[in-house]
Amino acid sequence: MNKHFTNPRAKNNFVGRTCSIAGVGSYVPDKILTNADLEKMVETTDEWITSRTGIKERRIAAANEFTSDLATKAAERAMKMAGVTAEQIDLIIVATLTPDMPCPSTACFVQHKIGAARAAAFDIGAACSGFIYALEVGQQFILSRTYETVLVIGAEKLSSIVNWTDRNTCVLFGDGAGAAILQHRENSHGLLTAVMGADGNKADLLSVPGGGSKCPATPESVSAGMHYLRMDGKETFKNAVNAMVSAANEAMRRCDIDITKIKCVIPHQANQRIIDAVGDRLKTTPEQLFVNLHKYGNTSAASVAIALDEAVNSGKISRGDLILLVVFGAGLTWGAAVIEW
Ligand code: UT7
């Protein structure tokens, strides 16, 4: 086994047990919405969107294509790569802020659609940080020998909660899903550590205020647009950079490594300027930083999951490489994970 880092898990009781990602997969809808298309919808320009965010286009799900459909397609690709059948899956965790409906969980719809009849299923709500939260939760079941195979998915149909008349937010988001199969693997450390954090005091910076128990859907709440996503972009930006940098540093510190040992850094894809600021402060090289934001915009919980799949399938990451995922989102929430791929 690689000895260029410390495995923080060795300090706990999970002796001889690791949690690796056996397969990844992603799916984005076919429909592309470009910046030029948005110029016809709201008072904006391709120049503004590109220079302030780095986004050129995003994918939009069809009216009859739900978060669980995107999640299912990503899951089937991850299962294929891992060589795992639906019957083998013990648990399905879906990270999403755009579930098919408030109840039941989107994970239950995915369970049915992939035919994983044995699997337990539940959703996690940690907004854009959801995929790392879900990885960390899923890992606990593998390390404790409770389950052998866990399917973790980040999936969003953000187009369903975007106010398409608000230029401050509608240019930023897109739809998609990414999935990973977690299993114990011999001779691999797998997921070495995951830092998770939250600050509920700043919940107002990014939220969907309506549709829950605080503000149930009524004709008034809908006409006031309470069911749309709202964001204080500037404050969110500042918090994102600080939280992502400190989470990434903490994750590397736990493994006794510095940034030079990381083959690929996969940051949450919200804004190119956030990615650049995080990269500057972590002292990454341009080759280390993975970016696909220009193609998909911010896909929230799906963001790093899609990026991980693309990094793996483009050959940017090989087995044995160390990778760093780092995320930030509503809550506020944040996280970072070091993985021996
Ligand atoms: O995934 C969770 C985490 N999400 C994030 O981390 C997102 C964080 N925030 C951001 O990415 C950026 O703050 C934004 C991209 C949302 C905004 O960029 P900014 O540099 O912070 O711009 P701003 O909010 O300060 O707005 C600057 C100006 C405003 O006009 P005035 O008030 O200066 O006249 C906006 O009205 O740009 C205007 N503006 C636009 N103009 C053209 C805002 N949106 C648009 C637009 N097109 N789409």
Side-chain angles (χ1 to χ4, degrees), residues 83-329:
V84 159
T85 62
E87 294 72 38
Q88 280 175 267
I89 296 171
D90 299 301
L91 173 65
I92 301 169
I93 306 174
V94 175
T96 187
L97 66 93
T98 48
D100 285 16
M101 52 185 80
C103 177
S105 70
T106 299
C108 286
F109 292 115
V110 173
Q111 189 246 23
H112 176 64
K113 285 176 184 174
I114 64 175
R118 286 181 47 251
F122 62 85
D123 289 358
I124 279 185
C128 303
S129 306
F131 190 68
I132 283 185
Y133 270 64
L135 279 181
E136 174 68 349
V137 172
Q139 169 181 241
Q140 303 299 323
F141 291 97
I142 301 286
L143 294 182
S144 64
R145 295 179 163 81
T146 308
Y147 293 134
E148 291 303 319
T149 303
V150 175
L151 168 59
V152 169
I153 307 170
E156 303 284 8
K157 184 175 177 178
L158 291 166
S159 59
S160 66
I161 57 160
V162 160
N163 180 350
W164 290 104
T165 65
D166 174 16
R167 70 175 184 174
N168 289 294
T169 52
C170 76
V171 303
L172 304 173
F173 299 99
D175 301 337
I181 296 284
L182 307 185
Q183 287 181 326
H184 165 76
R185 196 171 71 227
E186 296 295 332
N187 301 318
S188 171
H189 290 276
L191 182 47
L192 286 161
T193 194
V195 173
M196 300 188 293
D199 182 0
N201 193 37
K202 293 179 178 162
D204 285 347
L205 290 184
L206 179 48
S207 66
V208 181
S213 60
K214 184 174 180 182
C215 175
T218 60
E220 293 75 29
S221 78
V222 172
S223 57
M226 304 292 276
H227 55 296
Y228 290 133
L229 191 145
R230 298 175 177 191
M231 177 169 69
D232 177 339
K234 260 203 188 338
E235 274 308 303
T236 306
F237 189 117
K238 279 189 237 157
N239 281 278
V241 175
N242 291 334
M244 289 169 81
V245 169
S246 62
N249 281 328
E250 170 62 12
M252 290 189 286
R253 189 197 61 72
R254 289 185 191 173
C255 301
D256 293 322
I257 55 167
D258 63 29
I259 196 72
T260 62
K261 302 289 187 301
I262 301 284
K263 179 73 189 298
C264 185
V265 178
I266 301 183
H268 175 47
Q269 310 282 312
N271 186 313
Q272 185 66 51
R273 292 184 294 137
I274 294 177
I275 294 173
D276 291 341
V278 169
D280 277 355
R281 286 174 55 181
L282 293 178
K283 299 192 168 44
T284 58
T285 62
E287 296 72 41
Q288 277 174 304
L289 264 189
F290 190 87
V291 178
N292 63 5
L293 170 80
H294 51 290
K295 295 190 290 183
Y296 307 131
N298 181 349
T299 57
S300 189
S303 162
V304 289
I306 297 172
L308 175 62
D309 177 47
E310 292 197 346
V312 168
N313 284 304
S314 64
K316 208 173 158 63
I317 301 170
S318 307
R319 286 291 178 198
D321 287 343
L322 291 182
I323 62 176
L324 172 66
L325 307 187
V326 53
V327 295
F328 179 84

